[in-house]
Amino acid sequence: MDGICTLANDRVYDQLIALLNSIEANSDSETPVCVYPYDDNTEKIAAEIAKRPNVQLYDDRNSIEKWDNFARSAWDTHPTARERWGKVGSRGYHRFGTHRRYCAFDAPFDRFLYMDADTLLLDSVDSIFARLDLDDCIVYDFQYKDPTHVYELSSAKLTEIFPTQRIKSEIFCSGFYASKKDLFDEERRNWLLDRLKSGEAEILYPMAPDQTLINYMMMRSGYSIYNLSLQLSKNQRTGCSITSRHFKSRDNLLYDKGNRLTYLHYIGICSSVFAQVCAGENLSFPYRDIFLYYRYLYEPEQRPNFNEKAKPYRQSSNLAKKVLKKLGLTF
């Protein structure tokens, strides 16, 4: 069985509704969806999920705890992660819970497409699932232009483990990827942990813990990674991030030089901004109308009505730097 999955808690309630609605609108309306819990703060999203017969909130505690333990063990091997996390105010493990997207390798789908909660599906993904007949992981992004958000380029070990050409062609954003169940059984996980313990952990970028780890897991295991942004011709491929401002809107879809986007990623916008806008605060962010359309797809009367010029949302200096970094990923 094929399906789409995501990761959420109540902090991303509005984004989750928009994503689920976009899947129903632009894929098969009965496409099965699984939501993995970021943490135990899931009361609001659980109530929403209960209304949708094709959506489930993942509750396999053994699977969740298995990946929790794997993430802890992996980061316990890193020489500087704790120190760096402490400098940004993280207690314990940084952004712990993001790795629970790896539960998709357990269940409930034989083949899955993972999408972050701050994305919208805008076109069919049938061709992506079809490509899984040939490759282990299908991605569609431009993360390869900025490997600093995946690996520590200063590590001498990096190019010993992964030749430069692999870094240029295989790394991907963890916000959108398709793959298959059972790629990481216990034997494979233990082997990866042994590699990290042997000194390879230093190549991991600790400030994006789920992204660096899934890239390492895929690449170190030798699984084939197919990136549509590298394989499609220039006149076929599209961008995917809100850092690209040239997309054209038509019928609540987006187009890049005439080509329909597969998905849109609201990278860099804090979940609180979405919540504020949905609560009626007139804040601007790129492609806001597209988000609001899908957020209120089934309840348009609840959509905030803004008549005055919107105020730009404020972002922290760290977030601003993150977005500027991501500008290298635009197409």
Side-chain angles (χ1 to χ4, degrees):
M1 181 173 65
D2 296 342
I4 297 175
C5 50
T6 190
L7 178 77
N9 64 5
D10 286 352
R11 291 188 63 183
V12 296
Y13 174 78
D14 293 297
Q15 294 109 295
L16 177 63
I17 293 177
L19 172 59
L20 295 177
N21 289 348
S22 74
I23 292 170
E24 291 186 13
N26 298 315
S27 183
D28 187 321
S29 61
E30 297 182 355
T31 297
V33 179
C34 182
V35 181
Y36 301 105
Y38 179 89
D39 54 25
D40 293 332
N41 182 27
T42 58
E43 183 178 354
K44 286 176 64 179
I45 66 168
E48 176 63 30
I49 289 168
K51 303 174 186 176
R52 301 173 185 254
N54 61 313
V55 184
Q56 63 172 293
L57 181 61
Y58 196 68
D59 62 358
D60 187 332
R61 296 309 306 181
N62 289 332
S63 170
I64 292 170
E65 289 174 8
K66 176 183 76 179
W67 286 110
D68 283 357
N69 290 334
F70 175 81
R72 291 189 189 97
S73 297
W75 286 111
D76 284 347
T77 67
H78 196 280
T80 62
R82 293 278 187 172
E83 178 184 357
R84 293 174 67 177
W85 294 341
K87 289 180 179 179
V88 298
S90 289
R91 297 178 179 178
Y93 298 89
H94 185 57
R95 293 173 56 192
F96 195 74
T98 56
H99 64 274
R100 288 183 175 182
R101 70 193 67 200
Y102 307 158
C103 291
F105 293 109
D106 294 344
F109 308 122
D110 297 311
R111 306 189 306 179
F112 64 88
L113 170 64
Y114 173 83
M115 301 182 67
D116 269 351
D118 63 345
T119 61
L120 296 175
L121 184 65
L122 300 177
D123 202 357
S124 169
V125 289
D126 289 347
S127 61
I128 291 177
F129 279 109
R131 185 71 205 184
L132 283 173
D133 290 339
L134 302 174
D135 291 286
D136 300 305
C137 184
I138 315 301
V139 302
Y140 195 177
D141 65 75
F142 300 85
Q143 188 68 54
Y144 63 87
K145 293 185 177 183
D146 181 20
T148 63
H149 276 68
V150 177
Y151 293 125
E152 295 284 8
L153 301 189
S154 61
S155 169
K157 284 185 177 292
L158 180 57
T159 51
E160 295 177 8
I161 301 167
F162 302 128
T164 301
Q165 186 53 42
R166 290 192 66 188
I167 296 172
K168 290 181 177 180
S169 63
E170 295 182 32
I171 67 169
F172 60 94
C173 172
S174 64
F176 183 97
Y177 59 92
S179 193
K180 313 166 187 178
K181 69 181 298 186
D182 296 333
L183 290 187
F184 299 102
D185 59 15
E186 184 177 10
E187 182 178 2
R188 173 68 58 180
R189 296 193 309 276
N190 288 338
W191 181 81
L192 289 167
L193 290 175
D194 285 342
R195 295 294 83 218
L196 291 172
K197 291 174 184 176
S198 73
E200 294 185 7
E202 72 174 56
I203 74 170
L204 302 183
Y205 173 63
M207 307 316 293
D210 68 272
Q211 181 161 280
T212 185
L213 199 51
I214 188 62
N215 272 267
Y216 176 82
M217 290 160 60
M218 282 286 182
M219 293 176 65
R220 197 66 175 91
S221 298
Y223 290 132
S224 58
I225 302 167
Y226 186 90
N227 192 336
L228 288 161
S229 71
L230 290 169
Q231 300 297 331
L232 293 175
S233 65
K234 287 185 178 181
N235 62 355
Q236 289 179 305
R237 64 176 177 253
T238 73
C240 58
S241 169
I242 61 163
T243 55
S244 294
R245 303 299 180 90
H246 63 275
F247 302 147
K248 302 299 183 183
S249 176
R250 186 168 72 247
D251 299 326
N252 300 298
L253 300 169
L254 291 176
Y255 294 82
D256 186 351
K257 301 174 184 176
N259 295 308
R260 183 170 165 180
L261 267 66
T262 301
Y263 73 105
L264 179 67
H265 195 173
Y266 288 87
I267 186 72
I269 299 182
C270 182
S271 59
S272 62
V273 174
F274 293 96
Q276 287 172 276
V277 170
C278 291
E281 190 168 349
N282 193 7
L283 301 176
S284 67
F285 57 83
Y287 307 107
R288 185 183 74 170
D289 286 347
I290 294 288
F291 166 77
L292 288 172
Y293 171 78
Y294 288 104
R295 168 61 180 87
Y296 295 100
L297 183 65
Y298 300 122
E299 45 186 7
E301 71 285 353
Q302 299 295 323
R303 178 174 172 169
N305 186 19
F306 301 122
N307 297 315
E308 299 178 354
K309 185 178 180 180
K311 299 178 296 183
Y313 75 95
R314 291 185 177 182
Q315 56 191 20
S316 68
S317 59
N318 285 338
L319 188 56
K321 290 177 182 178
K322 177 181 178 182
V323 174
L324 289 172
K325 268 287 190 180
K326 289 295 182 180
L327 283 172
L329 308 183
T330 60
F331 172 73

